Amino acid sequence: MPFVGSSMGPGTLQATGARVVIASGGKLRARAGTTLPHTPAHSFCKRSARLTLRATLQDYRSSDYYEDQGKIPEKQGSLTDFPFSDSDLDDYDQLSKSSESFDDQEGLKQYPGVFRGVADDPSIHNPLDRQNRLGCGWLGALLEWEGVVVGDYSAEHKRAWLTLAEEEGKSPPLAFVLKKAEGMKSEQVIAEVLCWSRNPMEVRRLAQRKAELFQSNLGSMEYQVNPGIVEFLQNMGTNDVPCALATSAPASVVETALSDLGLEGYFTAIVTGDDVERHRPDPDGYMYAAMCVGRVPKRCIVIGNHNSCIEAAHYAGMKSIALANNRPAYELASADLVVRQLDELSMVNLKQLFRMEDLENMDEPELETELETQSFPSTTTMDLFGDDW
C-alpha cells in the first residue's frame, strides 16, 4: 500500500506501506518505483527512512533508469517526470534534520488510538494506567457544603433574606421564592430571582450584606458535621477516590470552617462561590470541580440534598446521590440513588452507578419501516352492493 503525504509539513514523512511520497514544501517527491522495505506505520523510523531514501535515489540516479538529465523516466504506475539533483537531496536532508530536532523537543505525535469508553485516553503510554481508567472504580466525588458535610442552615438563610429586604425597603420574598433560592449564589438570587438590581456594584453590596446577616444569625453556633461524613471521606481515601467540595458559600467562610472541623485534608479541591460565576442549578461549579480532581464529568458523582443539585449534576452528565436527611425521600426521586446518611454508601454502591455505562453510550438503533409485501384492494360497502344500495 503506498505512502500518502499530500498535506504534510516540510521535511515530514508518512509511512503506510512499502512505497513513499515525501512532502518537503513541494520541492522533492518520490515517485512510483521508489520502494523501501515494508515497515509498520507505528514503528517507522524517520531517520532510517531518510537515509534509505537517499541511498535509493542515488542508486536510481546511477542506474540505467536515469537519463543524462537526471530525470526518472516514465514507467508503469509512475506519475510524472521529476528531477532529483544533489541540491534536492541536500534540501531534503536539511529539512529532515530540522524536523528531527523539533521532534526531539516537542515529542513525536501520538499514534492515534481507539477510544474504548468515556474515560479512556489513548495518549496514556502506560497500558496499566489506561486500563485502570476503564474500570468503574475510576471516579470522583463532588460534595455540597451545607446539608451534606455540615448541617442544613436554610432557616438562617431565610431570616437573612427577610432582614435584608426590610433594610432595603423591599417587599419580603415569598416562601416558594426563598425555597428556589436555596443553594444559589447570593448574586444570582439578587439579580435573577428577587430582581432587586442589575448593577454589579449594587448586587455585590447586597450580597456582602446578606453574608453578614447570615453570620450574625449563626451567632456563636458552630458548624456541626453531619453523621457519617467522616467515615465516607475515609472510605473514599482508602479507595483512591478524589473528593471535591463544591459550594456557593464564600471561600473565607468555607476554609475557616474546614480548618476548625479538621476536614481540610480529606478534599483534593475546594470550589466556592468565589471561583465560578454561577452555581446550581447551573453546572459551572461541578464542571470546574471535576476538572480540579482530574476526572471526566461522566465519571463524577454529585452528592447533595436538594433538587437543584440533582438538576445541575444531570445537566453536566454526572451521577447524583441525594441525601434525604431533612426532607422526604420521594421529593428527591429524580436522583440516581437516595440515602439517609453517607455511611450507608460503600464503594460497591458507587461502582454500581456506572454498571450500565456502555449501554448508555450506545447509539440507539434506527427503526426500519416495514414494507408491505402484498397489497389488498380497498373496498367499501357501496362497492359491494352497487346501485342497489
Side-chain angles (χ1 to χ4, degrees):
M1 183 177 180
F3 289 136
V4 179
S6 58
S7 61
M8 302 171 64
T12 58
L13 180 66
Q14 185 176 359
T16 58
R19 192 172 297 172
V20 296
V21 173
I22 303 167
S24 60
K27 297 187 65 174
L28 178 62
R29 295 183 180 179
R31 298 301 181 186
T34 308
T35 58
L36 296 174
H38 177 74
T39 308
H42 59 274
S43 61
F44 193 84
C45 181
K46 185 186 298 183
R47 182 175 300 175
S48 300
R50 178 174 59 84
L51 298 177
T52 308
L53 178 62
R54 180 182 178 89
T56 305
L57 296 179
Q58 290 176 349
D59 184 40
Y60 270 105
R61 291 186 60 205
S62 62
S63 64
D64 296 334
Y65 288 112
Y66 281 82
E67 300 178 354
D68 297 337
Q69 290 84 3
K71 295 184 178 181
I72 301 178
E74 286 285 355
K75 297 193 304 179
Q76 182 179 3
S78 62
L79 300 178
T80 56
D81 294 347
F82 196 86
F84 291 96
S85 60
D86 292 335
S87 60
D88 291 331
L89 292 175
D90 295 338
D91 292 341
Y92 177 67
D93 288 341
Q94 184 177 1
L95 290 172
S96 300
K97 290 178 181 179
S98 62
S99 176
E100 289 175 2
S101 62
F102 176 80
D103 291 339
D104 294 339
Q105 297 175 2
E106 302 295 335
L108 292 175
K109 183 179 180 180
Q110 176 66 29
Y111 183 73
V114 179
F115 286 89
R116 303 186 182 277
V118 296
D120 192 14
D121 186 4
S123 64
I124 298 178
H125 300 286
N126 191 335
L128 296 179
D129 293 342
R130 183 177 176 183
Q131 184 68 24
N132 184 40
R133 293 171 64 99
L134 300 179
C136 296
W138 193 80
L139 53 92
L142 313 180
L143 290 78
E144 282 286 343
W145 172 241
E146 292 186 13
V148 178
V149 178
V150 295
D152 189 4
Y153 299 94
S154 57
E156 285 74 12
H157 284 286
K158 291 179 181 179
R159 291 204 304 268
W161 284 118
L162 294 174
T163 305
L164 181 62
E166 184 179 356
E167 291 180 355
E168 299 295 328
K170 308 288 184 180
S171 59
L174 301 178
F176 79 92
V177 175
L178 294 178
K179 187 175 181 64
K180 180 181 178 181
E182 291 182 6
M184 298 179 65
K185 287 187 64 174
S186 298
E187 290 82 355
Q188 279 183 269
V189 178
I190 295 170
E192 302 175 11
V193 179
L194 300 177
C195 300
W196 284 353
S197 176
R198 289 282 184 174
N199 187 348
M201 297 183 62
E202 181 68 11
V203 170
R204 185 61 179 170
R205 183 188 69 82
L206 295 174
Q208 291 178 349
R209 179 54 183 163
K210 186 264 174 183
E212 296 174 357
L213 293 174
F214 173 73
Q215 292 297 328
S216 63
N217 290 336
L218 288 178
S220 60
M221 182 175 52
E222 298 179 355
Y223 285 103
Q224 301 295 327
V225 178
N226 271 342
I229 183 62
V230 177
E231 291 79 5
F232 174 79
L233 294 175
Q234 291 175 352
N235 187 19
M236 295 298 99
T238 303
N239 292 276
D240 296 331
V241 176
C243 296
L245 187 65
T247 177
S248 59
S252 57
V253 176
V254 176
E255 292 174 357
T256 303
L258 284 175
S259 179
D260 296 339
L261 298 175
L263 300 176
E264 68 275 4
Y266 291 105
F267 295 99
T268 306
I270 300 176
V271 178
T272 63
D274 300 338
D275 300 320
V276 293
E277 183 179 358
R278 305 171 66 85
H279 198 54
R280 64 184 197 190
D282 295 273
D284 298 3
Y286 296 152
M287 296 291 288
Y288 182 59
M291 183 180 65
C292 292
V293 299
R295 296 294 186 266
V296 295
K298 287 186 176 295
R299 282 299 184 89
C300 290
I301 303 175
V302 175
I303 304 176
N305 69 331
H306 197 271
N307 281 315
S308 60
C309 303
I310 304 172
E311 180 182 353
H314 290 171
Y315 188 81
M318 305 177 182
K319 302 296 182 180
S320 62
I321 296 179
L323 190 62
N325 50 9
N326 60 348
R327 66 190 66 210
Y330 64 82
E331 292 186 4
L332 306 170
S334 58
D336 297 290
L337 186 63
V338 181
V339 296
R340 289 291 180 183
Q341 293 183 5
L342 287 182
D343 55 0
E344 300 176 6
L345 292 173
S346 65
M347 194 62 188
V348 177
N349 301 132
L350 302 184
K351 290 182 178 181
Q352 287 294 323
L353 296 177
F354 303 100
R355 68 187 185 276
M356 303 295 291
E357 182 179 82
D358 295 336
L359 297 179
E360 292 176 356
N361 296 311
M362 291 179 60
D363 296 333
E364 295 183 0
E366 296 182 0
L367 299 179
E368 298 181 358
T369 57
E370 183 178 356
L371 300 178
E372 296 182 0
T373 57
Q374 183 179 1
S375 58
F376 298 94
S378 59
T379 58
T380 62
T381 306
M382 298 183 63
D383 295 333
L384 294 175
F385 291 94
D387 298 337
D388 298 337
W389 177 259

